[in-house]
Structures are given as structure tokens and as C-alpha cells.
Amino acid sequence: MKKLINDPADVVAEALRGMDAAHPELRVDHSDRVVYRADAPVRGKVGLVSGGGSGHEPMHGGFVGPGMLDAACAGEVFTSPVPDQMVAATRGVDGGAGVLHVVKNYTGDVMNFEMAAELAGAETGVEVASVVTDDDVAVQDSLYTAGRRGVGVTVLLEKIAGAAADEGRDLAAVAAVARKVNDRGRSMGMALTSCTVPAAGQPTFELPEDQMEIGIGIHGEPGRRRVPIAPAREVAAMLVEPVLADLDFTGPDGVICFVNGMGGTPLLELYLMYNEVAALLDKAGVRIARSLVGPYITSLEMAGCSVTLVKADDELIRLWDAPVNTPGLRWGA
Amino acid sequence: MSASIDQLTDWVRRFAAAVHEHRDELTRLDSAIGDADHGSNLDRGMTAVVAALDAEPQPSAAALFKKVGMTLVSTVGGASGPLYGTFFLRVATASGEVTELDGPAFAKALRAGLEGVVARGKAEAGDKTMFDALAPAVDALDAALADGDPLGESLRAAATAAASGRDATIPLVARKGRASYLGERSAGHQDPGATSVTLLVVAAAEALA
């Protein structure tokens, strides 16, 4: 294992120290491992709290700031945070208008946030609503699985719901627009390499030099299938086709198209992939209204990418274009 | 025969020792069909539980199990934190502020814990989860007590039922949790949650003998 770390046990704590030092506009509670915007709570505004295992940076801590999240809870690498953290964050961002929890659909995350919502309600009286993202088309959604995983849509949802909260909408309305983004979003990812959890010391799975894994999640979970490595234009088709097959993305309002890097793939390749994805969407009659390219929801140093589409409309485009000022996403501010 | 507060505390400590001893086995089972952290997460949680009980012995069954549940919820994370945490919190509520539990009261508390696990995890029989070992154990305990067997003997029957349920998870296809992403590929592996909860029932049979 070659990593820029001191002790594997201290990776999350020390990264949070660095984040705190680099960003005076954030406030980090190091005992609860919660990243807050420094001016939280914002009076009268719905608070947005997310969180999850570490190793997906910039998500979620890097999306804390005006126009996006009010707080993010950091778990151990690839392990859900615990309810105490979420209760502290909920209390810390409540400006009197209630708090929305943004949860990715993984069994541990869902259960811990559920307990946190119950505890926060009982202990603090804060009104809490939750939205669960489940956009990964690689997982069959049926009675026989834990349901689809929450992946790329989470980034777009946090941006859009953050803008809705900034507009002064109430909790029910912010939750409604968040659910709308999830309902209209689909993703599919792939990996060229595995990744190494610091505490484990060795790669989560073995992927031979001439193979790639299609349909991966963001924790090195297995994908749909393992296939020989192929040119980017064929890889793009393997990602775009199942997304388009799952939801009709045609229409005059177009889509927000997000090509995400898994952590170990350079922007040069991500833009090359975006070019292939855009060509495929054009051929399928899908108009791109807005785009985002870069490593925003990662899986440590995994090489690979994912494609997320969200079916847009005037409301979503306006909220997408609204100013945002976070370490990981910044425009118009 | 009733279980005293000392015996109930001993149950928790024996479970902690068993988790520690089987930590690597639990993690190995979890790496086959999950994310390779069940042993280390549960060991971290139960080590914190033992430290909390060392610092402050608990006066009643309700206080004891509430301390265990809250400590697990706060330290374990993942899915096993809320599941084991909810189990012990429900056991605490069902036990009440008493210093001993007779057989039927202990069985009722375990049943409440099982119902908490179901409410939290939404698992059903055959989903390849801790439910598949815990539910038969609670059923066997009820049946043995109804036959007039003493608590210790009834818990041995429960431990046998848990172990059978655990072994029966091997051919199952997982329908809950991270293992469910594997679909058919999850068959052939013993479920880590069913394995750890069997340790819990075996520890009860030892402590309350």
C-alpha cells in the first residue's frame, strides 16, 4: 500500500484537521467529526445535513457552504457515520425551519440516519425530513435486493436542494425538490482498478490488467459484469445505454449530464469520456442542458468513471445555476 | 430459576469476549459477501461496552441493556450498530427496572429485541441475515419454557436452534444488506450477522446456566 498517510487509524481525523485549516469558511467539530459552514445555523433557512463513509471526497464535507450543505458527518472510510454525529449536526444547523437529511441508499447509512431522525426528534424537537438517493441502475431494484445504491445523483441533489433552501422554501418543499431530482436521475459506473481501504492495506478486489468491472458502486462492491478492457467509446456505450433504457430522457428541457471520476482517473480522460457520452446522447435525441465533469463522488484512488443523467426542467435548471460556494463546487458566488 | 443482574452482566461480557475471539472469522465471512468489517466493527463496539460497564456497573436490567444498546449505536456504525443497538434497547424496555428476570420475562425481553431487529432491518425468514439465527433461537426458548424446562436448559435449546439457523444461511441467496448486490453469488457463504448473533445466544446459555 502506497499512500500519503501517517497511521491508517488516523486518516479521517487528520484529513478533517487539514480541511479545517484550509477552509476558514468551515467549522469542524473534531470530536463528533462533523463539518459545518462557519455561520451555521442560518436563521429561518431549512438546514441540509448529509454524511456517509469517508473516501468519497469531495463528497460530502467538500459540499458544505452557502448554496449547498449546512453540515456533513464523516464516518470511517466506507463506513456509515453513527447517529450521535447526525444528531449533533441536526442540532447544529437547525435555524428554526427544520432539517433535511440527505442519505445514500446503503443499509448502514439508512439505518443510522433513521435512528438519528428518531433521536433528534425526541431529544431536540427539531423537525427532520429525509430523502434517500437510489440512482444506480447497475443494481436490480427488486424485493430481493437492498435496492439501488445512491451514487452520482447525490451530488446534483445536494446542489439543487441547497439552492431551494437558500430561496427560503419550507422543509416540505425542499424535500420535494430533492425527491424530484432523485426520481429523475439515473447513474451507471465502471472501474479500471480496485481501491485500497487504508485500514485493510490491500485492494478490495483483484482486477487483472486487461479487465474492467462494469456497474460498480462507490465502495469497490462488485459490478454487474467483468469484461475485457475496451476503447472509451465502447465503455461510454456500456454506461449510457442502461441509463437511457431505464428512463426516457428525451424532451425539450434536456438533461444535466454529469461525468464523474472515481478518484484515480485524470480530467484528460474524463473530458474524453464526456465527448463520447455527449455523442451518444446526441444520437439518442437527448439534449444536454447543463454539464458537470470531474471527480466529485469518488472511491479513494479507484480509476474509472460514472455517468449520471438528471432529466431537467425550468425549476431544476434555475436551482442548478444559482450561486454555490463550497470547497468542492463553486460558481456565481 | 431467575437470572440475576450479575448473570445478565456476565452474558454481555461473555458476548464481548466471544466477539473478540471470533473477530477475524466474522470479518472473513463478511469479506466474502459484504465489506469486510463486521468483526472489527462489532469488536470495537463490544470493547466500548465492557469499558462502560467497568466504569459504571448498572443497577437494573433496563439500565444495563440501555447502556449496551446506546454504546453500540454510538460506536459501531454500518448496519450492525443500529441492528444490535436496537436489539438491546428493546430488550431494555421489555426488561424494566428490575434486578432479576425469570425465564418467561427473559424470553419476553429477547422476543422484544427480535421484533426491534425486524422493525429496523425489515428482514424476513430466509433473507440470509441475523434474523435467520435469532428467530429460531427465540422460538426454541419459548417452546422449551412452555414445556416446563428451566431457563438454563431452555437457553441451551435456543443456542442449538441458533446454530442450526446460522448453518442454514449458507445456501441462501442474500436479499438484504450489501450482500444482496451479489445476487446468486452470495449463495455458498455463511452469513456473518447470523454467526455473531449465534455467539450472543450461546453466551446467554453459558451465563444464565
Side-chain angles (χ1 to χ4, degrees), chain A residues 84 107 112 114 118 144 146 222-223, chain B residues 74 78 120 175 177 180 182 185:
Chain A
D84 301 29
T107 306
N112 282 284
E114 243 175 48
E118 290 167 17
Y144 306 109
Chain B
S74 301
R120 183 68 59 202
R175 288 188 261 180
S180 70
L182 287 166
R185 279 185 284 168

Side-chain angles (χ1 to χ4, degrees), chain B residues 5 8-10 12 53 58-69 92:
Chain B
I5 183 74
L8 296 172
T9 306
D10 186 45
V12 173
L53 297 181
Q58 299 297 316
S60 70
L64 168 68
F65 295 129
K66 183 167 187 228
K67 174 63 86 178
V68 176

Side-chain angles (χ1 to χ4, degrees), chain A residues 15-227:
Chain A
L16 287 173
R17 294 263 168 218
M19 210 170 171
D20 199 5
H23 297 288
E25 70 277 20
L26 300 177
R27 174 163 52 82
V28 180
D29 179 332
H30 294 285
S31 65
D32 278 327
R33 295 192 178 175
V34 179
V35 179
Y36 295 94
R37 49 187 284 185
D39 58 353
V42 181
R43 192 106 307 267
K45 185 183 89 70
V46 170
L48 258 67
V49 171
S50 191
S54 294
H56 308 303
E57 291 71 20
M59 190 185 77
H60 296 276
F63 298 144
V64 174
M68 218 161 163
L69 300 177
D70 293 86
C73 310
E76 285 298 323
V77 174
F78 294 174
T79 298
S80 165
V82 299
D84 301 29
Q85 295 174 273
M86 299 154 184
V87 172
T90 302
R91 190 182 283 133
V93 307
D94 178 45
V99 175
L100 180 69
H101 288 173
V102 179
V103 187
K104 301 186 299 301
N105 189 33
Y106 295 93
T107 306
D109 292 70
V110 169
M111 286 187 201
N112 282 284
F113 267 103
E114 243 175 48
M115 293 200 86
E118 290 167 17
L119 291 169
E123 286 176 15
T124 66
V126 179
E127 192 187 352
V128 176
S130 299
V131 56
V132 177
T133 59
D134 58 351
D135 52 307
D136 186 356
V137 302
V139 176
Q140 192 188 8
D141 184 18
S142 74
L143 288 173
Y144 306 109
T145 66
R148 288 180 164 172
R149 300 174 288 221
V151 287
V153 149
T154 316
V155 177
L156 310 185
L157 183 154
E158 288 176 358
K159 163 69 188 85
I160 288 170
D166 260 10
E167 280 189 345
R169 298 192 195 185
D170 66 18
L171 180 58
V174 175
V177 81
R179 291 199 185 97
K180 176 174 159 183
V181 174
N182 184 60
D183 290 347
R184 297 164 72 112
R186 298 289 187 277
S187 300
M188 179 84 174
M190 61 79 60
L192 295 166
T193 66
S194 183
C195 57
T196 298
V197 175
Q202 44 196 337
T204 307
F205 59 90
E206 291 300 328
L207 198 50
E209 187 64 17
D210 59 346
Q211 301 274 302
M212 59 184 178
E213 184 96 16
I214 305 293
I216 44 117
I218 51 173
H219 308 95
E221 307 101 310
R224 256 190 190 179
R225 61 187 198 277
R226 190 165 285 194
V227 298

